[in-house]
Amino acid sequence: MTVDEKFMKRAIANAKRAASRGEVPVGAVIVKDGEVISVGSNMRERGMDALLHAEIIAIRRACRKLGRWRLSDCDLYVTLEPCAMCAGAAINSRLRRVVFGAYDSKAGSLGTVIDLNKLGYNHLLEVEGGVLEKECAALLSDFFKELRKR
């Protein structure tokens, strides 16, 4: 198992926790020096807040833990390609790297629908997509199949 797969597995565990609460199963972890320093999972339904995406929660927690807003020595692992808001937050927090699992054909903003990383902002992320893609995509498709049954 690669390092990227190891941390994506942690993000998947967070996505599963989100699903168990009735949230869209997206999970995130932020890693610094090979250690997980923060986690997040979707909480939009529970928090009644459109901003409570897994990535935003993980970024906020990492900033609080480190006592700074610049996360240039940190990497974000997330089960779904970030949307525009989350890709923007990754850029603005100066994350070193974003690694995601499933591509998002409806809102993916690091290459699929648009690539915010290529628009000339003052920070450029390293981006790796498709890590444990099948497992990450299956979480989402299974969740929505169950939702449609209800």
Side-chain angles (χ1 to χ4, degrees):
M1 178 181 318
T2 69
V3 171
D4 285 349
E5 290 170 339
K6 171 187 164 186
F7 291 120
M8 188 60 71
K9 289 274 189 193
R10 293 284 302 271
I12 289 168
N14 287 317
K16 288 178 179 178
R17 279 193 280 287
S20 74
R21 297 188 310 261
E23 299 279 354
V24 174
V26 178
V29 299
I30 294 184
V31 175
K32 179 183 183 302
D33 299 328
E35 300 284 330
V36 173
I37 62 164
S38 71
V39 300
S41 58
N42 271 359
M43 294 180 59
R44 291 188 304 175
E45 299 298 330
R46 175 185 264 181
M48 304 299 285
D49 186 338
L51 303 180
L52 293 180
H53 288 207
E55 301 95 309
I56 300 298
I57 293 166
I59 289 168
R60 283 180 173 159
R61 288 176 175 167
C63 290
R64 281 191 206 114
K65 181 169 186 162
L66 297 175
R68 56 187 161 95
W69 65 268
R70 286 183 186 89
L71 302 177
S72 56
D73 53 353
C74 299
D75 302 327
L76 169 67
Y77 291 82
V78 60
T79 56
L80 181 64
E81 180 181 359
C83 68
M85 175 180 68
C86 295
I91 292 166
N92 282 314
S93 63
R94 310 296 195 268
L95 283 163
R96 175 177 46 213
R97 191 164 176 250
V98 175
V99 179
F100 65 86
Y103 291 85
D104 186 347
S105 63
K106 295 181 181 176
S109 296
L110 287 178
T112 300
V113 174
I114 191 168
D115 193 344
L116 292 183
N117 202 37
K118 291 186 176 175
L119 293 181
Y121 290 106
N122 64 340
H123 179 71
L124 188 64
L125 302 164
E126 292 177 38
V127 178
E128 178 75 30
V131 174
L132 299 180
E133 179 180 7
K134 288 180 184 176
E135 192 173 344
C136 293
L139 279 173
L140 290 157
S141 61
D142 292 348
F143 176 82
F144 286 113
K145 280 179 195 169
E146 277 301 309
L147 200 59
R148 284 189 292 274
K149 281 182 189 177
R150 290 186 230 147

